[in-house]
Each structure stands twice: as structure tokens, then as C-alpha cells.
Amino acid sequence: MLLVAEPIVGPEEKAALLEVIDSGWLTMGDRVRAFEQAFASQHEAEDSVAVNSCTAALHLILHALGLGPGDEVLVPSLTFVATANSALYVGATPVFVDIESADVPLMSLSDAEARCTPRTKAVILMHFAGCLADRAAWQAFAQRRGLVLIEDAAHAPGLKEVGTYGAAAAFSFYGNKNMTTAEGGAVIARDPALLAAIRQARGHGMTSGTRQRLDSRTPSYDVTMLGFNYRMDELRAAIGLVQLRHLAAWNEIRRGLVARYRRLIADRCPSVAVPFAQPRLSTCHLMPVLLPGPVLRQEVIDHLRADGIQTTIHYPPVHLMSFYRDRDPTVDLPRTEDFAARELTLPLHPRMGPETVEAVVSSLARAVQSSTSVEAVA
Ligand SMILES: *Cc1c(COP(=O)(O)O)cnc(C)c1O
């Protein structure tokens, strides 16, 4: 089965893991620190904080910014649930914002504007599919409204522009992302004081970590804030250091594959739309397409599956999930709902070759053709 996303891990990662085991130091040691610095420099940042997930990264950012009960946070609904959950973790209220259009499925600035209230304190942008949001426009909006800008950059590691939008950015190294540590995440924040607060909150709010105390004369420590255990371990950091060395090249391969997808889809199934018609900076994390109205998505999914091709949906809207719908059944995001109802995500990862893209598009073209003709007969 050709999967939508596949991690690339091999001998280099195995060797790196063995080194950690032989070293006898398993968590929050020199490798985590080296990974933080390497990840930061990849994004031309001074420093970063490694954590055990992007979800933890988002939580720490909102926590360190002091967001809490009574505050509203603008979030997309066309995202993974963690984006919205992070607001609830700190007691704030996520306010869902519609996408701009089917062609630009990023948060709509005009809808964000319309959903602002005197309680709105922050906005979390998500670089959907790896396509970057419009930085200047969002910075101007945040400044005008006095809001904190946060990036959910789970889809967009490896571009120096990412992590420069506002206060902080959260990254994911889950198994299906552009680089992986199996589970893992990181925070980039340009303000050293904010990053320091995030670093401390990651480890129970303690004033020093186990590794620092080894080098220090004073084995004691203080706890000066409410913290969490969101630490990364040495095994994951060792994998991350290997992955990071390949990230730029992998993202380049992804770009080539997406360009090929675009050409072939335009050629062989022009009724299928590919979002982001205008070129944009992108890490090409996902390959989303929009099926034409009359096509039954499930038939297309089944057809591709029979050809050994997995597809997925990005995303079932968060505001329609039972948990969120029960909280507020009145949320209405027509463009998000239309997009999510027609979206299909095709396989995209650097282990694929050009011939694999051909095979996927051929299968898609046949699937759309047969689903459309069934519809026409009916
Ligand atoms: C994967 C993902 C997350 C969550 O990442 P974890 O590392 O699994 O916590 C958050 N937001 C988006 C947009 C994601 O794709």
C-alpha cells in the first residue's frame, strides 16, 4: 500500500540510537541541547526548546504568554484538533475562523476581523499543507487589534520564514510530518525571556535540570512557576539530529513531487482542483485536492484503495467534532465545511518517485471518470 505519509528512517537513525544507549544518558542531555540549537539555526533563530509534542509546544506557548480564562483565541477549524485544544488547556476560549477560499484554505483575515471581540487576545495561524500564511497582512492585523500572533507550524519545518510571524511557533515531529522523532515537538520564540519561560515550564517549573545539576556545585533547585513534564529524551533528539540534516533536501523533493502532481492533474483530470493555484512559499507537507461537486468521495477513496493507494482527509473540521459541537452547536463556517467535504489528500513523501505520482494521478483520473459517469447515469 502506498501511504499518504511515510517516515524515512534507516541506518543513520539506528546508529544514533545505539550511541545514546551506549552513552548511558537517556533524557534531556547534550543531544537534546544540540538538537535545539540545530533546529533553531535551520530557522535562523537564536535558540529553540525541544518538547515531546507539538501539542505540548502549543500549550507551553499559550501558558507562557499568560493566556487564560476570559481570553478568546482565534483558531482555524481546518486543522488538527490540537490547535484548538491548546486554548482550552489554559482556560481560554477557542473561536473558530473560516478559511479564505477553496483555493486558499488558510485562515481568512476578514473573517478573523469579524470574529474579534474585546476579549480576543491571540490568533493561532496554521500553515495548512505547508503553505505559509501571508505574514505582513497578519502582522498588521495583530498590531492593529493588539493581538499576540502564534504559529502552529506543524506542517512547516525547515523554512527560515517560519517562526518569524509573531511571539512563537510550535513544530511537530510526529511520525507523519516532514521530519520525525517518532513523537516530539519544538518551540521557536524570538524573545529570549519568553523562550526561557517556556523552557522552565517544560520541566516542572524547576530552575535547573538534571544535566545542569551534574555540572553544578549546588544540587538543589527551586520551583518558581507551575510547570509540566513536556521533556524530550536523548533517543528522540538523536533521531532528530539525523533527520534535520536531511530536512532541506526532503522538502525540495516534496516540491518536485507537488509540481509534478499539479502538471499531471491539470492534464489528466482537470475537473479536480489543486488548492494554492498561486505559488507560495511551502514545505509541501500535504498534497490536498478538491474533487468536483458531483463526484462521490467515498467511491474515489475506494477506487484508489483498490489500486493500493491510501488517501486521507485534511481535515474533518474541528468545530464539527462532537466535543466541540456540544460546546457550541451554532458555529457556522461554510467555506471550511465545503472544502472539508470535497477534500482528498494524496500520498506525498520523499520516498516517492515521479513514476509513483503518475500512478496516483492515473488512478485518480479513472476513479473520477467512473464516479462521474455513474452519477450521470443515475
Ligand atoms: C500533527 C499536528 C499537531 C499535533 O502534533 P503532535 O506532535 O502530534 O502533538 C498540531 N497541529 C497540526 C496542524 C498538526 O498537523
Side-chain angles (χ1 to χ4, degrees):
M1 190 88 170
L2 173 65
L3 301 181
V4 162
E6 288 180 28
I8 304 188
V9 282
E12 285 184 282
E13 284 82 0
K14 280 188 193 169
L17 286 173
L18 285 181
E19 263 181 45
V20 175
I21 289 167
D22 291 341
S23 80
W25 195 283
L26 294 183
T27 189
M28 288 294 296
D30 297 338
R31 283 176 185 80
V32 170
R33 192 66 195 116
F35 177 67
E36 290 178 335
Q37 283 164 339
F39 190 74
S41 86
Q42 181 89 32
H43 297 87
E44 297 184 5
E46 278 301 308
D47 206 351
S48 74
V49 171
V51 290
N52 58 17
S53 71
C54 180
T55 307
L58 288 165
H59 184 188
L60 287 174
I61 291 168
L62 269 57
H63 179 263
L65 288 168
L67 292 161
D71 297 335
E72 291 177 0
V73 181
L74 300 173
V75 295
S77 175
L78 193 73
T79 183
F80 184 61
V81 66
T83 318
N85 285 353
S86 66
L88 291 179
Y89 293 158
V90 296
T93 305
V95 174
F96 292 107
V97 179
D98 212 345
I99 56 172
E100 197 172 311
S101 65
D103 183 52
V104 182
L106 297 169
M107 193 190 279
S108 154
L109 213 148
S110 59
D111 195 44
E113 188 89 61
R115 291 177 198 268
C116 275
T117 76
R119 293 176 299 284
T120 310
K121 293 288 157 53
V123 49
I124 307 181
L125 297 175
M126 201 280 268
H127 304 299
F128 181 85
C131 290
L132 301 200
D134 182 348
R135 182 170 62 174
W138 282 103
Q139 286 176 336
F141 166 76
Q143 184 146 35
R144 190 164 70 243
R145 290 281 185 172
L147 308 181
V148 192
L149 208 53
I150 298 157
E151 292 163 76
D152 177 340
H155 294 190
L159 284 176
K160 66 180 189 332
E161 290 76 9
V162 178
T164 63
Y165 281 56
F171 297 83
S172 175
F173 312 127
Y174 185 63
N176 63 9
K177 301 291 157 72
N178 286 31
M179 63 167 281
T180 187
T181 60
E183 296 278 357
V187 177
I188 285 179
R190 307 274 161 167
D191 170 9
L194 181 65
L195 197 65
I198 287 168
R199 190 181 300 285
Q200 196 184 338
R202 167 187 65 181
H204 304 285
M206 290 160 69
T207 49
S208 69
T210 319
R211 184 69 183 81
Q212 287 79 48
R213 287 196 298 282
L214 178 70
D215 295 336
S216 158
R217 283 178 51 232
T218 51
S220 188
Y221 58 85
D222 192 13
V223 169
T224 58
M225 60 161 78
L226 176 67
F228 310 91
N229 174 2
Y230 286 160
R231 294 181 301 241
M232 179 178 268
D233 61 69
E234 291 284 285
L235 297 147
R236 289 182 166 81
I239 296 176
L241 280 164
V242 173
Q243 296 264 309
L244 205 47
R245 288 201 290 273
H246 298 287
L247 179 62
W250 287 341
N251 283 353
E252 207 46 50
I253 295 172
R254 288 173 176 274
R255 280 182 204 111
L257 294 168
V258 167
R260 189 169 190 86
Y261 261 126
R262 284 186 179 279
R263 275 199 307 278
L264 290 175
I265 290 171
D267 226 37
R268 300 195 194 160
C269 32
S271 67
V272 172
V274 181
F276 299 110
Q278 294 300 315
R280 236 174 222 274
L281 270 182
S282 178
T283 57
C284 295
H285 172 57
L286 300 172
M287 183 62 216
V289 298
L290 283 179
L291 300 177
V295 165
L296 292 176
R297 178 166 60 185
Q298 191 56 51
E299 285 182 5
V300 175
I301 292 169
D302 292 342
H303 185 112
L304 281 140
R305 198 180 170 77
D307 284 346
I309 300 163
Q310 184 203 19
T311 54
T312 53
I313 292 163
H314 288 88
Y315 284 91
V318 177
H319 73 286
L320 298 180
M321 298 284 169
S322 303
F323 172 74
Y324 279 100
R325 211 176 25 197
D326 290 349
R327 283 178 53 87
D328 184 357
T330 68
V331 179
D332 182 30
L333 304 171
R335 292 188 296 274
T336 295
E337 289 174 29
D338 169 67
F339 183 91
R342 295 194 290 129
E343 196 273 348
L344 197 63
T345 301
L346 305 177
L348 177 65
H349 54 77
R351 277 162 59 173
M352 288 170 55
E355 71 295 340
T356 319
V357 175
E358 294 253 2
V360 174
V361 175
S362 298
S363 178
L364 177 67
R366 285 193 304 272
V368 168
Q369 180 64 43
S370 69
S371 179
T372 313
S373 49
V374 165
E375 191 74 14
V377 171

mmCIF file of all heavy atoms in Angstrom, residues 3 21 45 62 108 160 163 178 189 222 239-240 257 310 313-314 339 349 355:
data_model
loop_
_atom_site.group_PDB
_atom_site.id
_atom_site.type_symbol
_atom_site.label_atom_id
_atom_site.label_comp_id
_atom_site.label_asym_id
_atom_site.label_seq_id
_atom_site.Cartn_x
_atom_site.Cartn_y
_atom_site.Cartn_z
ATOM 1 N N LEU A 3 1.334 4.762 1.116
ATOM 2 C CA LEU A 3 0.728 5.539 2.195
ATOM 3 C C LEU A 3 0.802 7.039 1.900
ATOM 4 O O LEU A 3 1.662 7.499 1.153
ATOM 5 C CB LEU A 3 1.416 5.242 3.524
ATOM 6 C CG LEU A 3 1.377 3.766 3.976
ATOM 7 C CD1 LEU A 3 2.070 3.603 5.319
ATOM 8 C CD2 LEU A 3 -0.062 3.253 4.053
ATOM 9 N N ILE A 21 22.197 4.778 23.715
ATOM 10 C CA ILE A 21 22.116 3.678 24.682
ATOM 11 C C ILE A 21 23.496 3.401 25.288
ATOM 12 O O ILE A 21 23.636 3.250 26.499
ATOM 13 C CB ILE A 21 21.513 2.428 24.001
ATOM 14 C CG1 ILE A 21 20.021 2.690 23.743
ATOM 15 C CG2 ILE A 21 21.698 1.183 24.882
ATOM 16 C CD1 ILE A 21 19.359 1.717 22.820
ATOM 17 N N ALA A 45 17.042 31.139 13.861
ATOM 18 C CA ALA A 45 16.656 31.647 15.177
ATOM 19 C C ALA A 45 17.831 31.443 16.130
ATOM 20 O O ALA A 45 18.709 30.622 15.874
ATOM 21 C CB ALA A 45 15.424 30.911 15.690
ATOM 22 N N LEU A 62 0.954 29.203 24.926
ATOM 23 C CA LEU A 62 -0.199 29.942 25.454
ATOM 24 C C LEU A 62 -0.060 30.183 26.951
ATOM 25 O O LEU A 62 -0.406 31.263 27.456
ATOM 26 C CB LEU A 62 -1.502 29.184 25.136
ATOM 27 C CG LEU A 62 -2.165 29.572 23.812
ATOM 28 C CD1 LEU A 62 -1.244 29.382 22.630
ATOM 29 C CD2 LEU A 62 -3.463 28.803 23.597
ATOM 30 N N SER A 108 -9.056 33.018 7.099
ATOM 31 C CA SER A 108 -9.483 34.245 6.430
ATOM 32 C C SER A 108 -9.270 35.437 7.336
ATOM 33 O O SER A 108 -9.770 35.479 8.462
ATOM 34 C CB SER A 108 -10.966 34.138 6.060
ATOM 35 O OG SER A 108 -11.544 35.427 5.967
ATOM 36 N N LYS A 160 13.083 29.347 6.736
ATOM 37 C CA LYS A 160 13.543 30.340 7.701
ATOM 38 C C LYS A 160 12.468 31.382 8.019
ATOM 39 O O LYS A 160 12.513 32.038 9.048
ATOM 40 C CB LYS A 160 14.823 31.014 7.211
ATOM 41 C CG LYS A 160 14.659 31.861 5.962
ATOM 42 C CD LYS A 160 16.004 32.469 5.589
ATOM 43 C CE LYS A 160 15.946 33.501 4.492
ATOM 44 N NZ LYS A 160 14.892 33.438 3.488
ATOM 45 N N GLY A 163 8.298 30.828 12.070
ATOM 46 C CA GLY A 163 8.802 31.194 13.392
ATOM 47 C C GLY A 163 9.147 32.663 13.495
ATOM 48 O O GLY A 163 9.661 33.107 14.511
ATOM 49 N N ASN A 178 7.091 16.308 8.151
ATOM 50 C CA ASN A 178 8.210 16.403 7.193
ATOM 51 C C ASN A 178 9.525 15.906 7.771
ATOM 52 O O ASN A 178 10.408 15.490 7.030
ATOM 53 C CB ASN A 178 8.383 17.844 6.700
ATOM 54 C CG ASN A 178 7.301 18.246 5.717
ATOM 55 O OD1 ASN A 178 6.179 17.759 5.809
ATOM 56 N ND2 ASN A 178 7.614 19.108 4.780
ATOM 57 N N ALA A 189 10.778 30.919 19.734
ATOM 58 C CA ALA A 189 10.263 32.219 20.160
ATOM 59 C C ALA A 189 11.446 33.173 20.116
ATOM 60 O O ALA A 189 12.524 32.830 20.596
ATOM 61 C CB ALA A 189 9.667 32.154 21.559
ATOM 62 N N ASP A 222 14.988 25.261 42.755
ATOM 63 C CA ASP A 222 13.740 25.869 43.206
ATOM 64 C C ASP A 222 12.675 25.633 42.125
ATOM 65 O O ASP A 222 12.991 25.337 40.976
ATOM 66 C CB ASP A 222 13.958 27.372 43.420
ATOM 67 C CG ASP A 222 12.803 28.021 44.171
ATOM 68 O OD1 ASP A 222 11.949 27.293 44.735
ATOM 69 O OD2 ASP A 222 12.756 29.267 44.210
ATOM 70 N N ILE A 239 17.595 11.005 16.961
ATOM 71 C CA ILE A 239 16.911 10.807 15.670
ATOM 72 C C ILE A 239 16.697 12.164 14.996
ATOM 73 O O ILE A 239 16.936 12.333 13.806
ATOM 74 C CB ILE A 239 15.546 10.100 15.867
ATOM 75 C CG1 ILE A 239 15.750 8.688 16.434
ATOM 76 C CG2 ILE A 239 14.780 10.036 14.551
ATOM 77 C CD1 ILE A 239 14.448 7.953 16.738
ATOM 78 N N GLY A 240 16.277 13.137 15.790
ATOM 79 C CA GLY A 240 16.007 14.475 15.252
ATOM 80 C C GLY A 240 17.236 15.103 14.610
ATOM 81 O O GLY A 240 17.136 15.753 13.565
ATOM 82 N N LEU A 257 7.732 16.819 -6.344
ATOM 83 C CA LEU A 257 6.595 15.910 -6.466
ATOM 84 C C LEU A 257 5.283 16.696 -6.612
ATOM 85 O O LEU A 257 4.415 16.334 -7.415
ATOM 86 C CB LEU A 257 6.528 14.969 -5.249
ATOM 87 C CG LEU A 257 7.687 13.971 -5.105
ATOM 88 C CD1 LEU A 257 7.659 13.301 -3.727
ATOM 89 C CD2 LEU A 257 7.642 12.904 -6.209
ATOM 90 N N GLN A 310 -3.376 4.735 -0.517
ATOM 91 C CA GLN A 310 -4.113 5.302 0.618
ATOM 92 C C GLN A 310 -4.405 6.781 0.362
ATOM 93 O O GLN A 310 -3.572 7.486 -0.234
ATOM 94 C CB GLN A 310 -3.272 5.185 1.908
ATOM 95 C CG GLN A 310 -4.007 5.670 3.147
ATOM 96 C CD GLN A 310 -3.086 6.097 4.294
ATOM 97 O OE1 GLN A 310 -1.912 6.377 4.096
ATOM 98 N NE2 GLN A 310 -3.635 6.150 5.495
ATOM 99 N N ILE A 313 -8.179 12.589 4.668
ATOM 100 C CA ILE A 313 -8.933 13.841 4.583
ATOM 101 C C ILE A 313 -8.341 14.852 5.557
ATOM 102 O O ILE A 313 -8.167 14.565 6.736
ATOM 103 C CB ILE A 313 -10.425 13.581 4.890
ATOM 104 C CG1 ILE A 313 -11.029 12.744 3.758
ATOM 105 C CG2 ILE A 313 -11.189 14.894 5.057
ATOM 106 C CD1 ILE A 313 -12.339 12.083 4.113
ATOM 107 N N HIS A 314 -7.974 16.011 5.055
ATOM 108 C CA HIS A 314 -7.436 17.095 5.891
ATOM 109 C C HIS A 314 -8.282 18.340 5.728
ATOM 110 O O HIS A 314 -8.149 19.042 4.766
ATOM 111 C CB HIS A 314 -5.991 17.405 5.512
ATOM 112 C CG HIS A 314 -5.034 16.355 5.936
ATOM 113 N ND1 HIS A 314 -4.733 15.259 5.170
ATOM 114 C CD2 HIS A 314 -4.321 16.233 7.079
ATOM 115 C CE1 HIS A 314 -3.852 14.503 5.815
ATOM 116 N NE2 HIS A 314 -3.590 15.064 6.970
ATOM 117 N N PHE A 339 -15.027 22.894 1.817
ATOM 118 C CA PHE A 339 -13.683 22.399 1.495
ATOM 119 C C PHE A 339 -13.491 20.990 2.052
ATOM 120 O O PHE A 339 -13.064 20.066 1.352
ATOM 121 C CB PHE A 339 -12.623 23.353 2.078
ATOM 122 C CG PHE A 339 -11.207 22.968 1.744
ATOM 123 C CD1 PHE A 339 -10.585 23.468 0.605
ATOM 124 C CD2 PHE A 339 -10.484 22.116 2.567
ATOM 125 C CE1 PHE A 339 -9.269 23.115 0.285
ATOM 126 C CE2 PHE A 339 -9.176 21.746 2.258
ATOM 127 C CZ PHE A 339 -8.567 22.253 1.113
ATOM 128 N N HIS A 349 5.458 11.978 -0.042
ATOM 129 C CA HIS A 349 6.612 11.872 0.856
ATOM 130 C C HIS A 349 7.856 11.617 0.008
ATOM 131 O O HIS A 349 7.748 11.149 -1.137
ATOM 132 C CB HIS A 349 6.393 10.768 1.906
ATOM 133 C CG HIS A 349 6.048 9.435 1.342
ATOM 134 N ND1 HIS A 349 6.987 8.606 0.775
ATOM 135 C CD2 HIS A 349 4.856 8.796 1.210
ATOM 136 C CE1 HIS A 349 6.389 7.503 0.354
ATOM 137 N NE2 HIS A 349 5.094 7.585 0.592
ATOM 138 N N GLU A 355 7.402 8.356 -10.946
ATOM 139 C CA GLU A 355 6.505 7.339 -11.531
ATOM 140 C C GLU A 355 5.358 7.024 -10.565
ATOM 141 O O GLU A 355 4.261 6.677 -11.003
ATOM 142 C CB GLU A 355 7.298 6.069 -11.920
ATOM 143 C CG GLU A 355 7.818 5.206 -10.767
ATOM 144 C CD GLU A 355 8.872 5.892 -9.881
ATOM 145 O OE1 GLU A 355 9.503 6.888 -10.337
ATOM 146 O OE2 GLU A 355 9.042 5.458 -8.735
#
